[in-house]
Amino acid sequence: MDFVLEGPVLEGSVVRLEPLSHRHAEDLAAAAEENRSSYGFTWVPKATEVEGYIDAQLARATDGKLAPYAQVDRISGRAVGATAYWDPRLWPTGEGLCAIEVGFTWLAASAQGTGTNTEAKYLLFRHAFEGWGVARVDLKTDARNARCRAAIEGVGARFEGVLRNWSRSWAPGEDGLLRDSAIFSITAAEWPDCRTRLEQRIARVLERR
């Protein structure tokens, strides 16, 4: 049976990941217009671009390349950012998912440092390893993005190297140029220890609330 990339609702204590739709547009427009200073290497739509951004993500989903999510704050009920599964890769037999990437991630400034990213990654990783049975989860970012690289390592992913001129640059003023991409991963063998560390981090967040 062919694998179909569909992301279910993923429930946490801090954040709920809901399949992205236009009902999230108003919240995401507000989230995107908070302090944008942390988006130097990440393309985040402006308020006027959110509808088109959602259309583009849903088109990728229709093509089976992406399962986009809105990150919804559990206290306010408002969407505070987005993330996605993408680039699904099947086992050599063609049956079942071998690997998946987590990407297209951004958060409103007010949601950064709140535990939202940690729990969102935990939910995505857990479903990938324990629901789909993948062998690895990939993450990547602009090699110059020290803040994002630290965040990726902070959720337990291992740095594998830099692929030069690997993908489109999203940095301001670099339209049409390629960027070097820093590649990270978590393997199935590493997931149990990673899961424990993430659950401990989430517990500390909840203690402070």
Short mmCIF file of all heavy atoms in Angstrom, two decimals, residues 13 33 45 57 65 72 82 104 115 119 137 144 154 164-165 189 201:
data_model
loop_
_atom_site.label_atom_id
_atom_site.label_comp_id
_atom_site.label_asym_id
_atom_site.label_seq_id
_atom_site.Cartn_x
_atom_site.Cartn_y
_atom_site.Cartn_z
N SER A 13 0.70 19.61 26.22
CA SER A 13 0.24 20.41 27.34
C SER A 13 0.44 21.90 27.10
O SER A 13 -0.31 22.73 27.61
CB SER A 13 1.00 20.01 28.62
OG SER A 13 0.77 18.66 28.95
N GLU A 33 3.35 39.45 12.62
CA GLU A 33 3.65 40.87 12.69
C GLU A 33 4.19 41.30 14.05
O GLU A 33 4.37 42.49 14.31
CB GLU A 33 2.40 41.68 12.34
CG GLU A 33 2.02 41.61 10.88
CD GLU A 33 3.14 42.05 9.95
OE1 GLU A 33 3.82 43.05 10.26
OE2 GLU A 33 3.35 41.38 8.91
N PRO A 45 5.89 34.69 6.48
CA PRO A 45 5.01 35.59 5.74
C PRO A 45 4.64 36.81 6.55
O PRO A 45 4.50 36.74 7.78
CB PRO A 45 3.77 34.71 5.46
CG PRO A 45 3.77 33.72 6.58
CD PRO A 45 5.21 33.42 6.84
N GLN A 57 1.20 26.08 1.08
CA GLN A 57 1.44 24.91 1.91
C GLN A 57 0.41 23.81 1.63
O GLN A 57 0.75 22.63 1.58
CB GLN A 57 1.42 25.30 3.39
CG GLN A 57 2.55 26.23 3.83
CD GLN A 57 3.91 25.58 3.72
OE1 GLN A 57 4.44 25.41 2.62
NE2 GLN A 57 4.49 25.22 4.85
N LYS A 65 3.90 16.12 -0.58
CA LYS A 65 5.26 16.49 -0.19
C LYS A 65 5.35 17.08 1.21
O LYS A 65 6.45 17.25 1.74
CB LYS A 65 5.82 17.51 -1.19
CG LYS A 65 5.91 17.00 -2.62
CD LYS A 65 6.36 18.10 -3.56
CE LYS A 65 6.41 17.59 -5.00
NZ LYS A 65 6.79 18.69 -5.95
N VAL A 72 -0.71 25.85 17.91
CA VAL A 72 -1.77 26.53 18.64
C VAL A 72 -1.45 26.51 20.14
O VAL A 72 -1.27 25.43 20.73
CB VAL A 72 -3.13 25.87 18.38
CG1 VAL A 72 -4.23 26.55 19.20
CG2 VAL A 72 -3.47 25.92 16.90
N ALA A 82 3.87 28.08 12.84
CA ALA A 82 3.64 26.96 11.94
C ALA A 82 4.83 26.02 11.95
O ALA A 82 5.93 26.39 12.37
CB ALA A 82 3.39 27.48 10.52
N PHE A 104 9.95 24.02 7.93
CA PHE A 104 8.98 25.09 7.70
C PHE A 104 8.47 25.64 9.04
O PHE A 104 7.29 25.95 9.19
CB PHE A 104 7.80 24.61 6.85
CG PHE A 104 8.12 24.40 5.39
CD1 PHE A 104 8.53 23.17 4.93
CD2 PHE A 104 8.01 25.45 4.49
CE1 PHE A 104 8.83 22.98 3.59
CE2 PHE A 104 8.30 25.27 3.15
CZ PHE A 104 8.72 24.03 2.70
N GLY A 115 8.70 27.12 25.69
CA GLY A 115 8.53 25.67 25.67
C GLY A 115 7.71 25.18 24.50
O GLY A 115 7.60 23.96 24.28
N GLU A 119 8.07 21.35 22.91
CA GLU A 119 7.00 20.37 22.92
C GLU A 119 6.53 20.05 21.50
O GLU A 119 6.18 18.90 21.21
CB GLU A 119 5.82 20.83 23.77
CG GLU A 119 4.82 19.69 23.96
CD GLU A 119 3.68 20.04 24.90
OE1 GLU A 119 2.97 21.04 24.63
OE2 GLU A 119 3.51 19.32 25.89
N VAL A 137 14.71 11.10 11.62
CA VAL A 137 14.07 12.38 11.38
C VAL A 137 15.17 13.38 11.06
O VAL A 137 16.19 13.45 11.75
CB VAL A 137 13.27 12.85 12.62
CG1 VAL A 137 12.80 14.29 12.44
CG2 VAL A 137 12.09 11.93 12.87
N ARG A 144 24.42 29.61 8.56
CA ARG A 144 24.79 30.83 9.28
C ARG A 144 23.87 31.12 10.47
O ARG A 144 24.15 32.02 11.27
CB ARG A 144 24.75 32.02 8.32
CG ARG A 144 25.71 31.91 7.15
CD ARG A 144 25.40 32.94 6.07
NE ARG A 144 24.09 32.67 5.44
CZ ARG A 144 23.57 33.41 4.47
NH1 ARG A 144 24.25 34.47 4.02
NH2 ARG A 144 22.40 33.11 3.96
N GLY A 154 19.39 21.67 20.77
CA GLY A 154 18.75 21.67 22.08
C GLY A 154 17.62 20.67 22.21
O GLY A 154 17.28 20.25 23.33
N ARG A 164 26.96 22.35 0.96
CA ARG A 164 27.21 23.66 0.36
C ARG A 164 26.29 23.91 -0.84
O ARG A 164 26.02 23.01 -1.63
CB ARG A 164 28.67 23.76 -0.06
CG ARG A 164 29.65 23.68 1.12
CD ARG A 164 31.08 23.72 0.67
NE ARG A 164 31.40 22.57 -0.19
CZ ARG A 164 32.51 22.49 -0.94
NH1 ARG A 164 33.37 23.49 -0.96
NH2 ARG A 164 32.73 21.43 -1.67
N ASN A 165 25.82 25.18 -0.93
CA ASN A 165 24.92 25.56 -2.02
C ASN A 165 23.78 24.56 -2.17
O ASN A 165 23.44 24.12 -3.27
CB ASN A 165 25.68 25.66 -3.35
CG ASN A 165 26.59 26.87 -3.39
OD1 ASN A 165 26.48 27.77 -2.56
ND2 ASN A 165 27.50 26.89 -4.36
N ALA A 189 17.44 4.65 16.98
CA ALA A 189 18.20 4.17 18.14
C ALA A 189 18.41 5.27 19.17
O ALA A 189 18.51 5.00 20.37
CB ALA A 189 19.55 3.61 17.68
N ARG A 201 12.52 18.31 29.93
CA ARG A 201 12.46 19.75 29.63
C ARG A 201 11.03 20.26 29.68
O ARG A 201 10.76 21.34 30.21
CB ARG A 201 13.08 20.03 28.26
CG ARG A 201 14.59 19.93 28.20
CD ARG A 201 15.14 20.32 26.85
NE ARG A 201 14.83 21.70 26.51
CZ ARG A 201 15.18 22.28 25.37
NH1 ARG A 201 15.84 21.57 24.45
NH2 ARG A 201 14.87 23.52 25.12
#
